[in-house]
């Protein structure tokens, strides 16, 4: 039977950078690793707010990215 093991968890920020020549939005991304995989949504939200506050750019989106290994 196969098993799925959590490999790592990251927070990925999407910052609004401005518009390109065609008027389309341009985004910049920043990831932070070594996030506790069992962190609650409230924990991730408060941490994200704190970290994003250190940037001059406008925060557009926050994603939690979890990677898994599948072992057969």
């Amino acid at each position: 039977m196969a098993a799925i093991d959590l490999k790592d968890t990251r927070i990925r920020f999407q910052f609004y950078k401005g518009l390109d020549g065609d008027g389309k939005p341009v985004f910049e991304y920043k990831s932070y690793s070594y996030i506790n995989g069992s962190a609650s949504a409230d924990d991730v939200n408060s941490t994200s707010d704190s970290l994003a506050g250190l940037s001059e750019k406008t925060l557009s989106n926050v994603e939690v990215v979890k990677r898994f290994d599948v072992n057969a």
Side-chain angles (χ1 to χ4, degrees), residues 9-54:
T9 304
R10 299 171 186 223
I11 296 175
R12 183 175 182 237
F13 293 155
Q14 179 184 39
F15 292 102
Y16 177 74
K17 195 172 178 181
L19 300 174
D20 67 6
D22 296 327
K24 295 180 183 176
V26 176
F27 298 100
E28 184 175 286
Y29 298 91
K30 174 68 179 165
S31 294
Y32 292 93
S33 303
Y34 304 107
I35 305 300
N36 187 333
S38 62
S40 70
D42 288 334
D43 292 338
V44 171
N45 187 49
S46 64
T47 301
S48 298
D49 287 344
S50 297
L51 290 171
L54 299 173

